Amino acid sequence: MVDTIQGDFADKNCSDCGEKGCIFEHWGNLVPKEKTGFFCGFCWQERNNCFERGEAPKPLGVKLPGVPEEFSDMPIRASTKNGSIYKFSKPNEKGERKVSCATKTLDFTSCKIICLRVGREIFFRALDSSDPDLHAWITSPVVSIK
């Protein structure tokens, strides 16, 4: 029996991070029994990783890695393994940040960071892209955060 639908659920909020724009609906082993969740790509991968490690399904609304506490209310400069340098402004009251990249032109200037940790890919939501299909941005792994 099928327990996952992959599609465009742009009007649905992710059952974990709460952000609008999902690509998976799931009611199987990755969620508690008798529950259904909608997930963005990042949260879906996080749940898959837990399942592959043999962990029990986490409740919906699990807290994500986010931004390290020491950088939560300040500008950030993050360097990635492929040499890209991303600059994020201090967040506004909604948690949104201005973003730029020193090594490439981005099609957006505002984002919301979902995961920013050394050794992991940066995952953030593009908020003002002219591309209606661009919901998320994923980088190579982070080597430093300043």
Side-chain angles (χ1 to χ4, degrees):
M1 179 177 184
V2 113
D3 62 9
T4 305
I5 298 171
Q6 183 173 357
D8 183 9
F9 304 104
D11 61 330
K12 295 288 187 179
N13 287 33
C14 179
S15 296
D16 282 342
C17 71
E19 295 296 315
K20 199 171 270 253
C22 296
I23 53 176
F24 295 98
E25 178 181 11
H26 179 76
W27 55 93
N29 292 334
L30 303 182
V31 296
K33 285 186 189 263
E34 300 181 21
K35 298 283 184 182
T36 297
F38 287 89
F39 302 100
C40 67
F42 179 80
C43 293
W44 175 255
Q45 188 59 50
E46 289 292 294
R47 283 189 174 267
N48 268 316
N49 291 343
C50 290
F51 180 75
E52 288 174 4
R53 291 190 299 262
E55 298 173 13
K58 302 220 181 308
L60 298 178
V62 92
K63 186 173 180 341
L64 296 172
V67 175
E69 187 65 34
E70 65 265 30
F71 300 107
S72 65
D73 197 34
M74 60 188 301
I76 299 170
R77 181 177 186 262
S79 301
T80 64
K81 187 175 181 180
N82 72 354
S84 293
I85 300 169
Y86 290 88
K87 293 180 182 177
F88 300 94
S89 70
K90 182 177 176 173
N92 67 17
E93 63 282 346
K94 295 179 185 176
E96 300 167 351
R97 296 174 184 257
K98 294 293 182 189
V99 60
S100 64
C101 182
T103 54
K104 62 182 76 167
T105 302
L106 303 177
D107 181 33
F108 50 91
T109 59
S110 294
C111 74
K112 193 160 192 182
I113 300 172
I114 304 299
C115 180
L116 174 61
R117 302 284 181 185
V118 171
R120 295 192 62 175
E121 295 86 357
I122 305 172
F123 182 90
F124 56 91
R125 299 237 179 229
L127 300 176
D128 60 351
S129 175
S130 60
D131 179 353
D133 295 326
L134 180 63
H135 301 294
W137 190 265
I138 303 171
T139 70
S140 64
V142 173
V143 293
S144 71
I145 304 172
K146 298 177 183 176

